[in-house]
Amino acid sequence: DTAAKIKEEIAFFAFYWVQNLQEYKARQKPALSAQRVARPVVISGHGDDPQWRNAEAIADFHTPSNEAAKYETGFKILFDDENFYLLVEALEPETDKLVMRSRPRDGNVWEDDDIEIFLYAPELRHQVYWQFAVNPLGSIFDSEWRPGMNGNAAFNAEMEVKTAILQDRWIAEMQIPVKSLGARLVDGSR
């Protein structure tokens, strides 16, 4: 029954994402603000564009069971009129033990060591959100989720991703065009 499936998915989203977001916000001191940049960020996989230097960062991540992450992960976000720019640095003292496979677009990236980012538009009242997963090799999974759907893996955000594996961490740097999300960014957007 479609109505029951939609109700189940809304409950799942509210419990696993909205509730976790609210708990996360309660633990946070100030909120992370995306900063506008004057020019497009150069995506290298190393986060070495000078515009990243002034970006706010968060690093107090927790597991889905609300335990502190074993190794620190840092996250930054920038934007311009056309793109979100995301930088993630995941500390990992044994990068030679990372689980990663080169996968086709929208392959099972979540089976690897990966980072996953969920974006939603509050003005859509949680009727849509987007999932982005990237592994250390730069394999991408992206999907659009709406009530009544199990995720639309045919959705492709036309994103650019570059990664780097260093001795004690791996880095993922992403550019996501907002037009892929059917959105528009303006100062003060949430």
Side-chain angles (χ1 to χ4, degrees):
D1 165 71
T2 303
K5 180 69 175 164
I6 290 171
K7 185 176 180 180
E8 177 184 315
E9 288 179 11
I10 289 172
F12 175 87
F13 179 74
F15 180 77
Y16 286 100
W17 299 111
V18 175
Q19 180 179 331
N20 282 336
L21 175 64
Q22 290 168 344
E23 290 172 5
Y24 171 79
K25 284 181 177 180
R27 288 192 312 267
Q28 293 304 302
K29 295 153 187 84
L32 177 69
S33 296
Q35 294 176 329
R36 178 180 285 280
V37 291
R39 61 168 176 74
V41 174
V42 175
I43 304 297
S44 67
H46 291 276
D48 51 7
D49 186 304
Q51 296 178 102
W52 286 117
R53 287 188 203 132
N54 297 322
E56 292 183 42
I58 57 171
D60 183 27
F61 288 98
H62 287 71
T63 66
S65 59
N66 205 25
E67 297 171 16
K70 186 174 181 179
Y71 302 114
E72 187 173 291
T73 297
F75 176 81
K76 295 182 177 184
I77 184 170
L78 298 170
F79 75 100
D80 60 24
D81 289 335
E82 298 177 12
N83 302 289
F84 283 108
Y85 301 96
L86 308 173
L87 176 63
V88 180
E89 288 192 51
L91 295 183
E92 174 54 64
E94 298 178 289
T95 55
D96 59 323
K97 294 183 180 177
L98 285 168
V99 176
M100 55 189 162
R101 292 168 202 81
S102 181
R103 298 184 182 272
R105 180 67 176 253
D106 295 328
N108 297 350
V109 174
W110 58 87
E111 292 176 354
D112 299 340
D113 287 314
D114 73 325
I115 57 102
E116 294 188 44
I117 296 170
F118 296 84
L119 298 176
Y120 77 97
E123 64 273 10
L124 298 178
R125 300 179 189 258
H126 310 295
Q127 294 300 305
V128 61
Y129 68 96
W130 300 273
Q131 176 183 7
F132 303 95
V134 176
N135 74 11
L137 296 175
S139 297
I140 300 168
F141 173 86
D142 56 352
S143 182
E144 178 181 64
W145 293 77
R146 293 179 182 270
M149 295 174 48
N150 287 327
N152 177 9
F155 163 83
N156 284 320
E158 302 169 26
M159 62 195 290
E160 178 182 1
V161 173
K162 292 191 179 172
T163 60
I165 302 170
L166 307 178
Q167 185 176 349
D168 66 341
R169 72 191 66 217
W170 69 278
I171 301 169
E173 194 171 14
M174 295 167 257
Q175 173 185 347
I176 302 173
V178 293
K179 70 178 181 181
S180 299
L181 310 178
R184 187 173 72 94
L185 291 175
V186 295
D187 289 322
S189 293
R190 296 184 65 192

